[in-house]
Each structure stands twice: as C-alpha cells, then as structure tokens.
Amino acid sequence: MPQSVATRQHPVSEEPDPVRPLPSRLVGRTTQYREIVGVLEHALEGGQNLLQLVGPRGSGRTRLLGETIRMAHTFGFDIVAGSSGGVDPAGQSSVRSTAPLLVAVDDADTIRAGQLDAILAVARCRARRVVLATTAACTRPIATFARTTKVLLDPLDVDAAEAMVTDLVGTALGDDLRCLVATAGGNPWLLNTLIMGLRAERRITLQHRTALVRGDAVPELVTTAIADRLAELSAPCRRLVNAVAVAGAPVSPAALGAIIDCDVTATLAVADEANAAGVLGYLRGVIWFHNALTQRVVLVAMPPAVRAAMTRLVVETGIAATADPADLLTPDHRPAVPRNVGTPAQVAPVPADEPRPVPWHRLSDTERTIAALVSQGMTNRQIASRVFLSPHTVNYHLRGIFRKLQVCSRVELAAIVRERRASADELDPSAW
C-alpha cells in the first residue's frame, strides 16, 4: 500500500535538473495523428482540405500544428506557415508550383481577407492539392475547401498524462507525483506548468530512479498561470466558474442560471467561454471543471466574503456546497467536447435506464475498499484516516475508480456499490 505523502521520508538528493522543455514526442494523440495523415494523403491525391485542430486552451493545438507541418514536409509538401497575425506573404513566393501546399495558421479567422484570397489563388494553381491547417474552428466560410476535417484534442487519459510527465522528469513517477498529475485532468499545458513549478520550487527528488515530490501544495507557478487565465474571462464567466467551484459537483445550466441571474441561453453562452478557455466543460448535460487542479485554485483564491455569498446562493438553489476543505480535490470527470462541436444543448444525454455491465474485476483491492467507504458517505479525509493514506492519494484512487467504472459522481458510485451488495450479498470488498 502506498505511503502517505505526510509520512513518506524523502532523502536528500542531487539538485533537480533544469526545467525540461515539452517532450519531443506527443503522447496520447495516435487517433489525431491518423486523422491528419488521412488529410495529407487526400491532398496528395488531388483533394483540397480545411484541417481544423479543435480543443480548449492548453490541449496542445499549436503543438499538434507543428507536428502537422513536420509530417507535411515528410510527404513533400511546400509549407507556408503563419501566426495569429496572418500569413507571411514572403513565404508564398518561394513555393514550387507543382508540389502540394500546406498553409498552417494558428487561427484562420485572423487571416486578413487579402491574404486569404492569395491563399485561395495559390490553391487554384495547385490542381486543388492544398491543405489549410488552423488551430481553431474557422467561422468564416471558405467554399473553396470542399472537405473540412475537425480533429478534436480530448484531454489525455491517465496513462498518456503519466507518460508525458515521465518524459518531462526523465524517470518513473512515484505515487505522490502521480496523484498531483491526476489533478491536471490530462491538460498538456497544465501538466507542463505543474512540472515546471515543482522544479522551480525544488520539490522533485529522486529515490531509486523514481521521481518523488515533497508535499501536495499547488506550485506558485501553477496558481499564477491559472489566475492569469481566469482574469481573461468576462465577469459573468468568472461568476459562473466560482459557482461551479463552490457547488463542488457538476451543475445543470438551469441551476447555474438561477445562481448567476441569467436565462439558460445566456448561461450556455457564458459556459462556452469557460469551455474555450479550458476551465469548464460539459458532461451529460451538466457543467463541470476540466480538471480538479483548476477547481482547487479557484476555491483557494476566492475571497472569503465572495465564497460565503456564493455558498448561500448555491444552497438556496438546492445544490450541495463543498463543506470539507479536504474534498477540494474531488475527482474531476474530464468532460469531452462532442465531436460534432456544438453547444451543450446539442449533446445527446445518455439514457439513464440503459443497462451496462460494471467491471468490478478491474478494481484493485485498495480501490474496492475506497469504493465501499464512499458508499458509507465518508469524505476523502475520513477515508484517508481509515486506510492510512493521504487525502490526495485517496483522490487519485477515486479518479481511477470513476474512470474504470464509468461513473460521474460519488452518489452514482455509492448507488452501484449498494446495488451490487444487495444483489450478491458480497460485503467483503475482496470478494468483488
């Protein structure tokens, strides 16, 4: 059984290496690679494509655009690269007229009309062998591109997130560091910022070729980075984020509308802003944080008077507010934006009565024990005391349980635990 962070002894080790850059390989993006290769191959065959890399901030869109440029170069494409300021006209004059062309821009909506016309003129001279790749969904209609491919960057799963951090630190991860990694919700930007912050504070140590971390406090670099991102949001959006943080559970748009004094349509528009910023997302018709780390920073940074007022509003709407500070790291559900990329109203709800097998065999003994204690209504702190783990480690195991059993809340987990006990009379978790 892993030791508690509070009781683990960290030996004195060498000073940590300088902060590593983002790893040279992209992990957890196999599906996206295949989709991009398909677009490039279609262009080689004479097709004309608009490639959109879609995802919230921090999901790695710009990094994947760089990989797209690298792959296109391998396929023999001419490359015209741009930025949010537009496409460099000088780059267009050096391309060969017979080779396929990739035009890569951070945001197609920022391309000036004259530059877009120039790109389309080049496309007409290339026998339609052109790909316009951008890191955002293009709202400006581009009729010339008959085929549009949207490549969605979902959050990295647990294994991919740990693989990315292993690349960053250069060695295997200890349980305490894995717990911190889990709170980032698979967001590549947040994972990189987390490791940079831990290294800057010299909190990563090595023991037997395993990276350990001193304490579970959020690094100052992470707190500042998240605060800066939240400061960019509109006032209604920040109020929405505060409401969800205080509620401590996924909230419906209707309930949030009552809290922030907006109708459902306006609430969804505000939620779209939070989703694009990589802060909140959608899961089965409710709104929730993309990751637990952001929720924790929001709660800690919220002035006491603001939190007290928001708590009253949350309670008045019938939503249970977060009561135990030890439960600030409740498992985030990492909601994925639907691949048809629309508003929450377009997300088809999952039928509640649809039967699904519960894969109990995938749970470890520790996970089964924690699931049983959750069904008894215990908080993370109470569970930690019972099983001799830190609350942070309990949260890590809860995330694994949620992922393996495909549940979305402690209430749902408790319900299926009780249902299994009632049907099989298996009170011993080791027998599950």
Side-chain angles (χ1 to χ4, degrees):
M1 182 176 296
Q3 291 179 295
S4 166
V5 173
T7 60
R8 185 188 299 278
Q9 298 298 316
H10 294 283
V12 176
S13 65
E14 298 180 358
E15 295 293 341
D17 295 331
V19 176
R20 291 168 175 254
L22 282 169
S24 58
R25 67 186 181 113
L26 282 179
V27 296
R29 298 303 187 201
T30 302
T31 299
Q32 289 81 358
Y33 266 88
R34 290 173 179 168
E35 292 175 324
I36 292 170
V37 168
V39 169
L40 297 177
E41 289 177 340
H42 183 260
L44 287 174
E45 295 171 356
Q48 197 167 37
N49 299 262
L50 175 60
L51 172 63
Q52 299 176 340
L53 308 180
V54 181
R57 288 183 61 181
S59 59
R61 295 173 300 178
T62 300
R63 182 78 191 282
L64 191 58
L65 181 64
E67 287 296 300
T68 302
I69 293 173
R70 183 188 62 79
M71 287 188 284
H73 180 75
T74 302
F75 277 113
F77 279 69
D78 280 334
I79 310 296
V80 175
S83 66
S84 58
V87 178
D88 179 13
Q92 300 179 37
S93 61
S94 61
V95 298
R96 298 162 291 169
S97 60
T98 57
L101 177 67
L102 172 72
V103 181
V105 185
D106 274 349
D107 187 344
D109 283 337
T110 64
I111 302 176
R112 292 190 292 272
Q115 290 181 319
L116 182 57
D117 292 340
I119 293 172
L120 299 182
V122 172
R124 286 190 287 271
C125 297
R126 291 300 184 97
R128 302 180 61 81
R129 303 203 309 170
V130 175
V131 175
L132 172 59
T134 175
T135 56
C138 185
T139 58
R140 183 189 305 168
I142 305 179
T144 305
F145 295 91
R147 171 171 164 172
T148 298
T149 301
K150 293 182 180 179
V151 176
L152 178 65
L153 279 75
D154 291 311
L156 299 176
D157 62 28
V158 173
D159 292 337
E162 292 182 358
M164 174 182 168
V165 174
T166 297
D167 282 354
L168 287 170
V169 301
T171 189
L173 311 182
D175 287 341
D176 46 3
L177 184 52
R178 292 173 64 199
C179 287
L180 271 178
V181 168
T183 65
N187 183 286
W189 168 79
L190 197 52
L191 289 168
N192 187 59
T193 306
L194 175 63
I195 298 305
M196 289 178 64
L198 291 173
R199 284 186 174 275
E201 296 175 8
R202 301 187 181 279
R203 288 170 52 191
I204 296 180
T205 62
L206 297 179
Q207 181 180 17
H208 305 302
R209 298 182 179 180
T210 300
L212 308 177
V213 62
R214 295 187 180 99
D216 60 358
V218 178
E220 183 66 25
L221 182 63
V222 173
T223 301
T224 301
I226 293 177
D228 289 344
R229 183 158 291 185
L230 294 173
E232 298 174 1
L233 302 176
S234 65
C237 190
R238 290 196 298 272
R239 185 172 174 83
L240 179 80
V241 171
N242 288 343
V244 179
V246 170
V251 187
S252 70
L256 282 174
I259 295 173
I260 66 173
D261 195 23
C262 291
D263 59 28
V264 173
T265 300
T267 301
L268 292 178
V270 174
D272 280 336
E273 179 187 352
N275 180 62
V279 178
L280 299 177
Y282 315 125
L283 176 71
R284 299 183 183 180
V286 293
I287 300 173
W288 183 234
F289 280 89
H290 275 295
N291 58 80
L293 192 52
T294 299
Q295 182 203 10
R296 183 181 185 185
V297 170
V298 171
L299 283 170
V300 172
M302 200 181 306
V306 174
R307 182 169 181 177
M310 186 61 68
T311 299
R312 286 194 296 271
L313 288 173
V314 168
V315 172
E316 288 172 2
T317 61
I319 303 171
T322 302
D324 189 347
D327 285 336
L328 296 185
L329 296 180
T330 50
D332 75 281
H333 314 300
R334 289 185 290 162
V337 180
R339 294 196 175 270
N340 59 354
V341 187
T343 64
Q346 294 173 295
V347 182
V350 177
D353 56 352
E354 180 178 337
R356 76 168 177 233
V358 179
W360 294 103
H361 65 280
R362 298 186 59 194
L363 299 186
S364 66
D365 289 344
T366 299
E367 290 172 334
R368 292 169 182 169
T369 300
I370 290 174
L373 296 176
V374 167
S375 72
Q376 298 173 24
M378 292 189 181
T379 66
N380 283 9
R381 177 173 291 173
Q382 292 169 331
I383 295 172
S385 177
R386 179 71 66 88
V387 299
F388 305 104
L389 296 173
S390 72
H392 207 131
T393 303
V394 170
N395 175 72
Y396 173 80
H397 286 301
L398 273 173
R399 287 173 56 84
I401 295 169
F402 277 45
R403 175 172 54 85
K404 293 177 182 179
L405 299 187
Q406 301 178 31
V407 297
C408 303
S409 68
R410 299 170 81 103
V411 173
E412 187 177 357
L413 174 61
I416 60 177
V417 169
R418 288 193 292 268
E419 180 181 352
R420 181 169 178 81
R421 283 179 168 176
S423 61
D425 194 27
E426 295 174 330
L427 299 178
D428 181 6
S430 64
W432 290 4

